[in-house]
Amino acid sequence: MSDRLFIFDTTLRDGEQVPGCQLNTVEKIQVAKALEGLGVDVIEAGFPVSSPGDFNSVVEISKAVTWPTICALTRAVENDIKVAAEALKYAKHGRIHTGIGTSDYHIKYKFNSTREEIIERAVSAVKYAKKFVEDVQFYAEDAGRTDNEYLARVIEAVIKAGATVVNIPDTTGYCLPDEFGRKIRFLKENVEGIDKVTIATHCHNDLGMATANTISGILNGARQAEVTINGIGERAGNTSLEEVAMIFKSHHDLNIETNINTQKIYGISRMVSSLMNMPVQPNKAIVGRNAFAHSSGIHQDGVLKNRESYEIIDPKDVGIDENSIVLTARSGRAALKHRLHILGVELDKEKLDKAYSDFLKLADRKKDINDDDILMLVGKDRSANARIAIDYLQVTSGIGMRPVASIGLNIAGEKFEAAASGNGPVDAAINAVKQIIHRKMTVQEFLIQAITKGSDDVGKVHITVSYEGVHYYGFSANTDIVAASVEAFIDAINKFIV
């Protein structure tokens, strides 16, 4: 009989902490429903005390989602816990996730405290959370760098206080896999009452070992894996949900099962990538563009003779249909709607008509339409009600001449026009925008990324604009890279001009 591994997804909490990847409540609900369909057991919906937006998201996700447990993060602070309990009042299954740092780094430098005081605060937090919900999870922040004997004391104390799940995070991604596995095994063997609770792993990827550490922890007794879609998260990211799910699906001999419907992995991967404006690297395991691509002649020959020669995963097992309908300028609304459905996007008739119109325009400019192209199209709807919109953009440039751009903007219904030159067509266009919008803002970062190969490709532009000491993030995609750059610049400006 196989052991059950619970999947705890923190895409909407830890994943959403990535700069420039913030979602609004409607988008969070969309992701939460997709996570429910995927089969995750626990959704960490946010950190309610951190902002009114996070509080509201936890409330609305609690209303929208039926069977998964909805979890809210707190510090070991009574007000945090009280606010989290209030946000969870509509959850069918609510969990408060409270905790405190346990490494000497945190105890000395973060809290200016002592080991005994930290245990007292941990116990007090769990007991207080227990007044609101039965399901209380405790995290020992920076457990990866906490010595095992002291960690065992903390964990034993919070179990006695009523914790139902104990989370052992490798917060800084420091541990080696065998080291992390031994830590979990030590707790299993030395903590009284550990058999009555679930041990969770929460591993970061600073040294590229998040998934390896998570698997090592599970093989040594952990039965909850804290993960994110596409491995997004603080700094270098978190353990990838798709990697953990497919490791245990591929290694039947480990006798560990999850509730994940793996055929929905690709669709939710692309949805999260699109909503968060965060491209999936081409060589990303499981969901990257090249995950099932073979360029070597030897590999191609082997795959053609027998797929398993070089593929340990059937692409269809993660939702990549090799025989999927190919979208072209001659495709109809039904084909587009079908592909969007596979990608986890449902549109009403009005939005589908708009998406189809944009799709036809794109299809006339591109030979091949891929999933990322489609998601970029429907993603543009999110900025449809922005205060500033482009009426027109015209750029003249060439060898031996200085680029000049003319632009027309619609700002809250009022029309403005300007022209400017620059060091290149993008610089000229942005200078033209600056002539209309007189603010002291500077471009801090400018990234252009092609989705696929080819001169007719859709280019994605990420831009960071600094205004009054705060960074604002803009994003756009277009087959015209100058247009995409200006759209991304205005997307950032819309976030600080009200």
Side-chain angles (χ1 to χ4, degrees), residues 36 54 107 120 123 134 164 173 207 220 266 276 299 318 342 406 454 467:
E36 180 176 33
D54 246 34
I107 294 171
E120 289 175 10
V123 168
E134 179 58 33
T164 51
L207 294 174
N220 281 278
Y266 183 73
M276 290 190 167
H299 285 218
V318 296
I342 290 173
S406 300
Y467 175 67

Side-chain angles (χ1 to χ4, degrees), residues 8-311:
F8 176 115
D9 185 274
T10 185
T11 300
L12 295 174
R13 201 277 301 169
D14 206 330
E16 210 234 357
Q17 290 175 192
V18 177
C21 293
Q22 285 69 44
L23 304 177
N24 60 40
T25 298
V26 172
E27 291 165 340
K28 286 185 178 181
I29 291 171
Q30 183 181 349
V31 173
K33 286 184 175 180
L35 290 170
E36 180 176 33
L38 183 65
V40 304
D41 300 286
V42 185
I43 298 173
E44 190 164 47
F47 185 4
V49 82
S50 66
S51 72
D54 246 34
F55 179 91
N56 186 56
S57 292
V58 175
V59 170
E60 295 305 321
I61 289 170
S62 296
K63 294 177 182 177
V65 171
T66 304
W67 70 265
T69 294
I70 303 301
C71 183
L73 184 74
T74 81
R75 296 165 297 180
V77 175
E78 284 197 359
N79 186 58
D80 281 27
I81 295 167
K82 184 178 179 181
V83 171
E86 178 68 16
L88 289 168
K89 65 182 179 181
Y90 296 106
K92 287 76 176 176
H93 312 280
R95 176 186 295 179
I96 291 176
H97 188 188
T98 190
I100 195 167
T102 56
S103 72
D104 288 336
Y105 295 96
H106 283 230
I107 294 171
K108 181 177 179 180
Y109 301 109
K110 183 176 179 180
F111 298 113
N112 189 27
S113 185
T114 66
R115 286 187 167 191
E116 296 306 320
E117 287 177 351
I118 290 298
I119 292 178
E120 289 175 10
R121 289 180 63 178
V123 168
S124 177
V126 170
K127 286 182 176 180
Y128 188 67
K130 205 72 175 174
K131 294 180 179 180
F132 301 99
V133 294
E134 179 58 33
D135 192 3
V136 175
Q137 177 169 323
F138 175 82
Y139 63 85
E141 189 175 10
D142 204 20
R145 294 189 297 173
T146 302
D147 78 72
N148 291 348
E149 288 77 11
Y150 176 66
L151 181 61
R153 287 181 58 204
V154 175
I155 297 304
E156 187 167 304
V158 298
I159 290 174
K160 289 178 179 177
T164 51
V165 182
V166 289
N167 178 15
I168 313 302
D170 184 23
T171 307
T172 58
Y174 177 76
C175 286
L176 298 173
D178 64 335
E179 177 187 10
F180 191 72
R182 287 197 305 271
K183 188 177 290 285
I184 300 298
R185 177 58 56 189
F186 183 89
L187 296 176
K188 286 281 288 183
E189 294 175 348
N190 292 278
V191 172
E192 183 181 344
I194 196 80
D195 56 317
K196 296 181 177 65
V197 302
T198 301
I199 302 176
T201 64
H202 180 107
C203 299
H204 280 262
N205 206 40
D206 298 72
L207 294 174
M209 294 186 290
T211 297
N213 282 334
T214 295
I215 299 302
S216 182
I218 292 165
L219 295 181
N220 281 278
R223 284 298 177 267
Q224 177 176 288
E226 303 204 358
V227 295
T228 61
I229 300 297
N230 300 333
I232 62 174
E234 288 270 8
R235 305 182 311 279
N238 289 36
T239 304
S240 297
L241 180 151
E242 59 274 11
E243 292 173 13
V244 172
M246 293 311 297
I247 284 170
F248 289 114
K249 186 178 180 68
S250 301
H251 287 269
H252 303 287
D253 55 308
L254 296 177
N255 292 318
I256 294 175
E257 292 183 350
T258 72
N259 191 51
I260 298 299
N261 179 350
T262 63
Q263 292 185 347
K264 294 188 175 183
I265 283 176
Y266 183 73
I268 193 171
S269 166
R270 286 301 181 266
M271 173 200 288
V272 169
S273 173
S274 176
L275 288 175
M276 290 190 167
N277 301 332
M278 192 169 185
V280 178
Q281 65 192 66
N283 63 324
K284 169 73 177 66
I286 316 298
V287 292
R289 185 172 69 236
N290 297 338
F292 299 99
H294 305 276
S295 60
S296 161
I298 295 173
H299 285 218
Q300 290 171 344
D301 179 66
V303 169
L304 290 171
K305 289 175 178 174
N306 185 323
R307 181 188 60 78
E308 294 183 359
S309 298
Y310 287 99
E311 287 184 358

Side-chain angles (χ1 to χ4, degrees), residues 327 336 339-340 369-378:
L327 294 175
L336 178 61
R339 197 64 200 158
L340 286 168
I369 302 295
N370 58 51
D371 292 342
D372 288 304
D373 294 335
I374 297 167
L375 288 170
M376 290 306 105
L377 285 176
V378 298

